[in-house]
Structures are given as C-alpha cells and as structure tokens.
Amino acid sequence: MIATSLPENDTTRPLRVREFFLARQPILDRNQALVAYELLFRNAATGPANVTSDLSATASVIAHTSQLGMEKVIGDALGYLNVDAAVLMSDIFQFLPREKVVLEIVETMKVTPEILARIEQLVKEGFRFALDDVIADTTEVKQLLPLVEIIKFDLRDMPLSALLKLTPQFKLAGKALLAEKVETQEQFDTCLKLGFDFFQGYYFAKPVILTGKKLSPSQLAIMQLMGQLNSDADTADIERSIKQDVSLCFNLLRLVNTPAVGARRRIDSVNQALMLLGRSQLQRWLQIMLYAEPCKKGHCMTPLLTLAATRGKLLELIAQQVEPRNQSMADTAFTVGIMSLMDTLFSIPMKDILEQVAVIDEVCDALLHRKGVYGSMLRLAEHMERIEEAGSMLDELIDRLRLGSEDLYNLQVSAFEWGDAVARSAH
C-alpha cells in the first residue's frame, strides 16, 4: 500500500482495499455520450450506510486505484474524485494521472490562503478542478472560481428558481456546468435548456414506456434468433436465420472478432462463429447487439450499452464466485444483468419483453420482481451503482451471496474493464 503524508490518527488511517466499496457514476455530455465517471468510495469497515465522508481515509484508496491503473476503472473516460483539505495538502497527487482526473472540491471545505495557494500550484501542474454542490454565490465560491473549470449543482438541493438565478452568472464566467442527481428525462431537458454541459445521474437508464411502441425489424430479428437459441433449434436453422439478415450477419461477425470476445483466431463465417462461440456465447453477443443497434443510427446509447454489459459481466462473475463449477448459472446471471435494462432500451414494459423471449422462470422472477438468487445478484449490482443510497441493504446482499468486499471490488474492476471494451467495439 502506498503511504501518504496524511496525519496519522484513527480517523485518517489508510483504508485497505477490502475495507471499501467502489462505485462509478456515469457523467454524460449534451449529446448523451459518456465522458466521465465520478468515483465514489464507501467504507465497508464502518458499518452500513456510511459513504465515507472522511476523505483523508480515501486518499490511500485513490492511490491504490491509480496503482492498479485507473484506466481499468474508468476506461477512456475521465475520473472525478472528491478532495478535501487533508487530501489537497497530501502528496497523493504524484500517483494521479493528471490528464485523466478532475478533482472535486467538496462544499464543506474551509478556504484558507494555504488551500488557495495549493490549488493554484496543482492547476499549474495540469490538474483540473470542479466545485461540488454549489448552492449560492458565496465568498468562498468567488475565491475558488478563477481556479475551477466546472461547477456542480445537486438537483436534489436546488429549487429551479435558484438554478435560474445562478447558472447565467457561472456561464458568463466561462465555467462548464454539471448537474448531478439527474433522475428523470424532464430534469435532463430542463438542464439542457438552461445551458448545462454535463449530466450525472441514472435518468438515461430509466424506462420511458411508450404505448404502442414496436420493435424495429432488426431488433425483432435478433429477438427471434434468441428465441431459436433458447428453444434448442437446429444449428442449420439458426445459421439460416442469421444469414437472412445481412446487417445482423455483418455486425455479428464484426463483434465476435473484437478483443472482448477473446477468440484466438479470426472468425470468418456464421458457422465458425457458432462452432467456436457455442450457443450461450452467441446468445450473449446477440443481447449486446440489441444495445449496440441505436449507436449505429447516431443515437448515442453507449452509456446504456456500457451499463448493461457491465451489469451482465458483474452478475456472471458473482455467479462464478458463488458456484465456481456451475457454468450454466453464470450464463443465466449474465442474461439477467444484460436484460435488466431492456425495458429502457425498447421503451416497452419488461413483462411484454419477456412474452417475446422465452426465458426460464428464475430469470422472469429476477427481472420482474428481483426475486431468487439472480434477483439478489441484480439488486446487489443496482445498489453498487447507487452506493450513496444503498444503506444496509448492500451489506445484507453481500452476506446473502457469501461475498467479501475485497472479492466484490476485484469482480467490479473486471466487469468495468469488460463493459468498457464491449462499448468501444460496438461503435
């Protein structure tokens, strides 16, 4: 573990990896493209519902993340990290890749001449800063304003009237505006009109059900093919179905030759893809193709694809940890994870989707009611994504699935890496 020059007392002792949970929350731009993640750490050692506000303790965690290679956690995106006075005055910055991070100054920090001088020095060294949870144009905000590039507003704490008043003056000052806790499409639209540049929250993963919405022909073709695979159709019939849809055939061959699949040699035909991948792997790539489809038409749904692929992989890895010898459980877990966002993808209720794809009862129970072992895995993944709201539920689910927090951290990092690789290959 890397040492940091933080005061040595109980509240600032370095955290070891197994003592914390990590979440990454997507930050999108005005075109809905994924540009960054905020990394949130929750201390597992201090009991339920404690998002670690003692940032000094997370300093060693930050060091650890950069040691592991931050690109594993954030891929091509930027990483937003919270910093307080203790972290700012520490030597943690020698471990951070300045071109990959934005440092968020927490709203509770007292601004002193020493702190201002330190931030100035770090800006000169190439670090970028954001000001977190701004609710008024205070003296402290005015002091920090010249040194920061981004102003963050938490929509839960800000009435619309305050946003209307504050945003124009920060825009005039040339600052980028970031809205966090954006939970609905309406909130996103409002902030877009107000000139916000970035949006953090899970509004893009919320289903907006449209009555009478139908699947596109290519989505329908993929769903029918998934049905054939589920019903153990003859390989020749499956091959015929794929070949009937030229774009499906082309996209499938393109996807199965990406590094995320890990094929040892180039796959040139549908027959080869079926032979080498096997049915469960083919099923997986068809599910991914459903999310990749909108990306082709210029509607950037990469955040949804990344989230679905990461969820699928995380559930698969959890299943492998829970029952190492049960490959079919791992395949089912992947399906539950990736299908859990299909109501958002299609704007169709989950119940209607499950009527079109034959899945086993346990998958239905997990997707509709979050029940059974797969339901527990899915709830765990959802709680990990929204770590600040997870409360004691996170600890209960980890106990129920017999996982350690260190195991979970390692599985998460693998899932992040895989999900990011899949999203890259879908473009």
Side-chain angles (χ1 to χ4, degrees), residues 128-421:
R128 303 165 63 193
F129 284 88
L131 202 46
D132 199 15
D133 278 357
V134 172
I135 50 172
D137 191 10
T138 60
T139 312
E140 304 216 314
V141 168
K142 283 190 174 76
Q143 285 177 294
L144 290 166
L145 202 59
L147 299 169
V148 302
E149 291 181 26
I150 299 145
I151 307 288
K152 282 188 86 169
F153 295 97
D154 187 327
L155 295 193
R156 287 180 313 183
D157 303 334
M158 292 290 284
L160 185 57
S161 54
L163 273 181
L164 286 166
K165 191 163 142 267
L166 280 176
T167 48
Q169 62 198 69
F170 289 122
K171 284 299 268 183
L172 267 176
K175 304 301 167 187
L177 304 181
L178 192 161
E180 66 177 323
K181 297 291 182 290
V182 186
E183 293 299 331
T184 66
Q185 194 61 41
E186 291 75 31
Q187 285 179 320
F188 168 72
D189 291 336
T190 301
C191 291
L192 199 59
K193 286 192 190 96
L194 285 171
F196 273 79
D197 303 278
F198 302 112
F199 309 86
Q200 180 180 341
Y202 282 98
Y203 67 95
F204 69 89
K206 287 259 171 70
V208 179
I209 304 301
L210 304 173
T211 47
K213 176 92 167 31
K214 295 276 189 288
L215 299 183
S216 73
S218 57
Q219 288 171 333
L220 211 50
I222 294 173
M223 295 290 264
Q224 282 164 349
L225 193 49
M226 281 163 60
Q228 278 182 289
L229 285 165
N230 274 333
S231 61
D232 279 337
D234 192 62
T235 301
D237 291 339
I238 292 169
E239 202 176 328
R240 207 170 298 121
S241 298
I242 296 173
K243 284 177 173 168
Q244 273 169 1
D245 188 318
V246 178
S247 74
L248 174 60
C249 190
F250 171 76
N251 287 331
L252 181 66
L253 288 175
R254 198 174 60 79
L255 262 181
V256 296
N257 283 299
T258 60
V261 176
R264 283 185 189 82
R265 58 196 171 94
R266 192 169 165 75
I267 298 171
D268 295 309
S269 69
V270 173
N271 185 275
Q272 228 184 340
L274 278 165
M275 296 285 290
L276 282 171
L277 291 178
R279 293 189 173 210
S280 65
Q281 281 290 324
L282 182 61
Q283 177 91 319
R284 164 173 314 205
W285 288 100
L286 288 170
Q287 289 162 341
I288 285 165
M289 279 173 68
L290 285 168
Y291 288 91
E293 199 61 35
C295 301
K296 304 274 180 303
K297 298 186 179 64
H299 305 298
C300 195
M301 287 302 281
T302 327
L304 196 63
L305 166 61
T306 309
L307 187 61
T310 304
R311 243 188 222 184
K313 192 65 176 176
L314 181 59
L315 264 66
E316 177 192 27
L317 294 170
I318 290 170
Q320 283 171 348
Q321 184 90 7
V322 172
E323 286 201 29
R325 290 187 188 84
N326 191 341
Q327 187 51 45
S328 114
M329 184 186 189
D331 289 334
T332 304
F334 182 90
T335 293
V336 168
I338 201 155
M339 283 191 73
S340 65
L341 289 159
M342 280 192 183
D343 49 355
T344 302
L345 178 68
F346 298 145
S347 301
I348 294 174
M350 186 62 80
K351 188 169 67 63
D352 297 0
I353 293 167
L354 294 175
E355 281 165 11
Q356 297 190 46
V357 187
V359 292
I360 57 172
D361 290 347
E362 289 96 319
V363 172
C364 270
D365 285 345
L367 291 171
L368 292 173
H369 313 294
R370 302 298 186 263
K371 283 194 176 147
V373 68
Y374 299 112
S376 295
M377 290 177 193
L378 179 53
R379 282 196 297 145
L380 176 59
E382 290 170 330
H383 283 309
M384 293 302 292
E385 289 157 15
R386 296 167 168 273
I387 208 160
E388 337 87 303
E389 296 149 30
S392 58
M393 207 56 232
L394 193 54
D395 307 86
E396 285 168 33
L397 286 163
I398 287 165
D399 286 347
R400 189 180 303 170
L401 293 163
R402 302 188 302 282
L403 293 168
S405 55
E406 190 167 7
D407 297 330
L408 192 56
Y409 173 81
N410 293 328
L411 303 184
Q412 268 187 294
V413 173
S414 299
F416 289 156
E417 237 186 320
W418 193 83
D420 292 342

Side-chain angles (χ1 to χ4, degrees), residues 85-138:
V87 175
L88 280 169
M89 301 313 284
S90 76
D91 62 0
I92 199 77
F93 297 94
Q94 64 194 347
F95 309 117
L96 289 177
R98 61 205 67 191
E99 69 290 347
K100 293 287 285 177
V101 298
V102 175
L103 303 168
E104 285 189 34
I105 299 167
V106 294
E107 69 282 10
T108 49
M109 191 182 77
K110 269 196 78 60
V111 179
T112 62
E114 293 78 26
I115 287 288
L116 283 172
R118 176 66 168 152
I119 296 171
E120 268 176 45
Q121 178 202 340
L122 290 167
V123 168
K124 281 196 187 96
E125 289 174 18
F127 284 98
R128 303 165 63 193
F129 284 88
L131 202 46
D132 199 15
D133 278 357
V134 172
I135 50 172
D137 191 10
T138 60

Side-chain angles (χ1 to χ4, degrees), residues 11-24:
T11 59
T12 59
R13 68 185 182 81
L15 281 177
R16 288 186 297 281
V17 175
R18 64 178 165 276
E19 294 172 345
F20 75 91
F21 303 126
L22 165 70
R24 60 172 201 180

